[in-house]
Amino acid sequence: MPIDKAYNPAATEAKIYDRWEQSGAFACDVTSKAAPYCIMMPPPNVTGSLHMGHALSYTLQDILCRYQRMRGKDVLWQPGTDHAGIATQMMVERQIAAEGKNESRREMGREKFLDRVWRWKEQSGGTITKQLRRLGASCDWGRERFTMDKDLNRAVVRAFVTLYNTKNAEGKRLIYKDKRLVNWDPKLLTAVSDLEVDQREVKGHMWHFRYPLAADPSKYVCIATTRPETMLGDGAVAVNPNDERYKHLIGKLATLPLANRQIPIIADEHADPEKGSGAVKITAAHDFNDFEVWQRHRDKDYFKTQKDGGLINLFDAHARMNGNVPEQYRGLDRFEARKRVIADLETLGLVDKIENITHAVPHGDRSGVVIEPWLSEQWYCDAKTLAAPAIAAVEKGATQFVPAQWANTYYAWMRNIEPWCISRQLWWGHQIPAWYGPDGKIFVAESEEDARAEAQKTYGKTVELKRDEDVLDTWFSSALWPFSTIGWPDKTPELARYYPTDVLVTGFDIIFFWVARMMMMGLHFMKDVPFKAVYIHALVRDEKGQKMSKTKGNVIDPLDIIDKYGCDALRFTLANMSTPGRDIRLAPSRIEGNRNFATKLWNAARYCQMNECAWDASFDPAKVTNTVNKWIVHSLRDAGDIVTSYLDEFRFDMASSVIYGFVWNNFCDWYLEFTKPILAGTDETEKAETRATTAWLF
């Protein structure tokens, strides 16, 4: 069948991909005698659509998988999607609201709401996997997993129960409940991770307030705050122990205005003499730094004798002032309370000054509202204990970061790790396998039947149990991804063959959120690292080097690029620009140039067809005799060796440059031109050898 004169990727790419997938070309073979090679796809959100970061990451993974298949390895590229707790729940709730039913999820009830979410997932949750096929991703689609699959849910429950029943060196459980500060979203009414918090630069104010000294109200210590409403929950004023201005006040008391409580002036290095007045209000229940100060001093008498030990929660779940504040502020929204507090302090003459500032304010990336550091009871995982083996594994080289400097980022996070808040106040997700007895006693078990059996032993009778309503942080289930997807907790052939995996390809922004947690869980449950290498790719920016964002209007949609230039042009551009340590500045002109490269290959194929250069399986390149044929065979071998060495080092940029140079210059410009006289000549032996060589090369 003659090849069309013009290259039309839209007419060819889908057909070629379908042929590959239907033929089983992407499937691994657990019974194979070949060496295994495995990459775990970072599971995109089930609600998501392909963006340029995905396009880069999955292109590089695909290159590695196709490369290793060409080397004869049995490759598993494990695909799947993440249930994306908050994003999915919000999407379905918006759909319900748009239908005009005026029915909240709580009015629907948990079972009915979750049934609705599952229906959405079945109807609309496969968008991104269809888009990955358009990108040419050669995953083993027959093995596709979803983090809420029944088997993966079983793995999550087993992991939770096992960690709950395992104790650290101090005899404390690796999973436990505690009251600590979390990032609280007062619109979504759930704790959120740091990754779901967007720090936005906003114009605001710095208010300087005077706190009178208890012994002499004519004197005062001045503090500064951007959140005046939180002063009602102050438990102390901190000054630096080396600040000569305040040494004489350490141990003395100040009167907290409006609340009319006496609070201690304490010494702590958190107070920076160079910032503001050098004196800092300590509101431990509403500021992460203040909470750390409180933890260092919590056993001191000046906190023990205070209400709630100096840890005073001011807000309800909706960020309205609660019963722990003076009556005139109760029930007020936090921002309304702010206005009232400022006005009341001005009336008392206790406002020292007000500065106009621009500062970073945390916002929920999905809700868009200001995030509140909030004291609440949540489930936590002892990340510090789990992190120790994960740090040692990288130090010993069991897992290597590429580029190597990213190991320092990993160490910085892991060596200063805090307890991991793993509970979320959502319904869509893995429900925490904990049940509560009538006296609040907790029973953690893999099933309600097991929990009831434990309760029967404890109480000596049948009692009513209530299950914890919260679900687990999505990062908890995805932390198990490298082994839950291939069979754990069962001992499957896939688990024995493909774990540990060979390489993880991902972005730097989730080194802590995902990479580190997979390391911790893999070493704890599998006693081995989840991957031997972590390749950290760059960010894709616009041609001016700016981060792509919808607000800037500079987002480049990979699907639009594929429609216009073809999948190969986009993929080759991303690979060619993937220089380690340097972000990609993507310009349409670069993609257009590589579309021309794809066209060059197309025209070479047409040239081969027109000149009867047909593939011959028996062709032996070592036996060519013509000088130009010998030259191109050796040139190809040299190029192949160089490309191999570059791909082994994750130098996708250098490998693609060698490929480009060989195809465009050596093959198309030189070899095809050099051999035109041979193919037009009369020496049938040379013509036959040249045709066979050309077909083999192509």
Side-chain angles (χ1 to χ4, degrees), residues 154-390:
R154 184 165 68 95
V156 168
V157 170
R158 175 70 59 85
F160 185 97
V161 174
T162 302
L163 291 169
Y164 179 81
N165 291 324
T166 304
K167 295 183 178 178
N168 63 19
E170 298 170 353
K172 296 179 180 178
R173 296 183 187 275
L174 294 186
I175 282 182
Y176 57 93
K177 288 197 86 171
D178 194 11
K179 266 196 167 185
R180 295 177 62 89
L181 260 65
V182 294
N183 294 310
W184 184 258
D185 190 312
K187 181 178 179 181
L188 299 179
L189 302 181
T190 181
V192 295
S193 73
D194 289 346
L195 194 64
E196 294 155 327
V197 176
D198 181 19
Q199 298 289 345
R200 300 181 188 173
E201 290 288 321
V202 299
K203 291 182 178 180
H205 300 90
M206 179 74 77
W207 288 271
H208 295 253
F209 298 145
R210 298 169 180 169
Y211 288 9
L213 300 181
D216 183 358
S218 66
K219 297 179 180 177
Y220 57 84
V221 61
C222 196
I223 62 90
T225 181
T226 58
R227 299 158 67 212
E229 66 281 7
T230 64
M231 59 88 63
L232 297 170
D234 286 358
V237 172
V239 297
N240 193 288
N242 299 313
D243 193 331
E244 294 295 336
R245 296 172 295 175
Y246 298 117
K247 276 188 175 181
H248 67 289
L249 293 180
I250 295 172
K252 300 291 196 315
L253 296 172
T255 299
L256 181 63
L258 306 181
N260 294 318
R261 287 187 287 109
Q262 291 190 344
I263 58 176
I265 299 172
I266 65 175
D268 193 279
E269 291 190 353
H270 169 61
D272 186 347
E274 303 299 320
K275 286 186 178 179
S277 67
V280 183
K281 63 192 283 293
I282 302 301
T283 319
H286 296 284
D287 184 280
F288 290 103
N289 290 324
D290 293 358
F291 185 76
E292 290 182 11
V293 173
W294 176 82
Q295 285 189 306
R296 290 194 286 271
H297 297 262
R298 61 191 298 180
D299 294 328
K300 302 290 177 60
D301 287 341
Y302 49 71
F303 274 142
K304 283 185 174 180
T305 55
Q306 284 193 58
K307 179 186 177 183
D308 296 326
L311 197 61
I312 302 168
N313 194 347
L314 300 174
F315 301 127
D316 65 13
H318 298 272
R320 296 185 295 243
M321 306 302 278
N322 63 23
N324 290 329
V325 299
E327 191 171 349
Q328 65 266 34
Y329 305 108
R330 292 175 189 172
L332 294 179
D333 171 79
R334 53 185 165 163
F335 299 117
E336 185 59 37
R338 176 177 299 181
K339 296 175 186 175
R340 187 81 61 86
V341 164
I342 294 166
D344 290 347
L345 287 171
E346 284 178 333
T347 299
L348 294 171
L350 296 177
V351 177
D352 191 68
K353 62 178 177 178
I354 304 172
E355 296 177 279
N356 294 324
I357 61 167
T358 299
H359 62 137
V361 176
H363 287 70
D365 67 343
R366 299 193 185 279
S367 67
V369 303
V370 175
I371 294 296
E372 195 65 51
W374 194 53
L375 184 68
S376 66
E377 189 172 43
Q378 303 281 348
W379 285 94
Y380 287 89
C381 182
D382 178 6
K384 188 172 184 179
T385 295
L386 295 174

Side-chain angles (χ1 to χ4, degrees), residues 276-546:
S277 67
V280 183
K281 63 192 283 293
I282 302 301
T283 319
H286 296 284
D287 184 280
F288 290 103
N289 290 324
D290 293 358
F291 185 76
E292 290 182 11
V293 173
W294 176 82
Q295 285 189 306
R296 290 194 286 271
H297 297 262
R298 61 191 298 180
D299 294 328
K300 302 290 177 60
D301 287 341
Y302 49 71
F303 274 142
K304 283 185 174 180
T305 55
Q306 284 193 58
K307 179 186 177 183
D308 296 326
L311 197 61
I312 302 168
N313 194 347
L314 300 174
F315 301 127
D316 65 13
H318 298 272
R320 296 185 295 243
M321 306 302 278
N322 63 23
N324 290 329
V325 299
E327 191 171 349
Q328 65 266 34
Y329 305 108
R330 292 175 189 172
L332 294 179
D333 171 79
R334 53 185 165 163
F335 299 117
E336 185 59 37
R338 176 177 299 181
K339 296 175 186 175
R340 187 81 61 86
V341 164
I342 294 166
D344 290 347
L345 287 171
E346 284 178 333
T347 299
L348 294 171
L350 296 177
V351 177
D352 191 68
K353 62 178 177 178
I354 304 172
E355 296 177 279
N356 294 324
I357 61 167
T358 299
H359 62 137
V361 176
H363 287 70
D365 67 343
R366 299 193 185 279
S367 67
V369 303
V370 175
I371 294 296
E372 195 65 51
W374 194 53
L375 184 68
S376 66
E377 189 172 43
Q378 303 281 348
W379 285 94
Y380 287 89
C381 182
D382 178 6
K384 188 172 184 179
T385 295
L386 295 174
I391 293 168
V394 176
E395 289 174 335
K396 293 173 183 174
T399 294
Q400 296 182 325
F401 279 83
V402 182
Q405 65 263 27
W406 287 113
N408 295 326
T409 302
Y410 173 83
Y411 290 140
W413 278 329
M414 294 290 271
R415 288 169 181 161
N416 296 285
I417 202 163
E418 293 289 327
W420 172 17
C421 177
I422 57 173
S423 49
R424 298 290 182 267
Q425 289 64 53
L426 305 169
W427 283 357
W428 174 241
H430 298 278
Q431 191 171 357
I432 289 173
W435 287 261
Y436 299 93
D439 58 355
K441 183 172 176 59
I442 301 173
F443 299 92
V444 170
E446 292 192 34
S447 68
E448 186 171 352
E449 183 182 10
D450 290 346
R452 291 191 180 283
E454 284 298 314
Q456 177 81 32
K457 289 179 189 175
T458 299
Y459 298 111
K461 60 180 180 179
T462 301
V463 297
E464 186 176 345
L465 296 180
K466 183 181 179 184
R467 186 166 184 179
D468 196 309
E469 286 199 351
D470 290 355
V471 300
L472 286 162
D473 176 16
T474 53
W475 296 107
F476 189 92
S477 51
S478 58
L480 312 179
W481 188 253
F483 49 96
S484 65
T485 51
I486 49 178
W488 188 88
D490 297 331
K491 293 182 178 179
T492 62
E494 289 87 349
L495 195 63
R497 180 165 177 78
Y498 300 113
Y499 190 95
T501 68
D502 289 86
V503 61
L504 177 76
V505 178
T506 190
F508 71 87
D509 53 336
I510 56 172
I511 290 176
F512 174 69
F513 293 98
W514 192 44
V515 178
R517 287 164 179 170
M518 284 190 288
M519 287 287 287
M520 291 190 284
M521 294 300 191
L523 284 158
H524 186 81
F525 290 107
M526 296 296 296
K527 310 305 177 189
D528 201 350
V529 295
F531 22 74
K532 298 161 194 171
V534 180
Y535 176 76
I536 302 295
H537 61 68
L539 283 178
V540 184
R541 299 181 180 273
D542 70 8
E543 57 188 310
K544 296 178 182 177
Q546 295 181 327

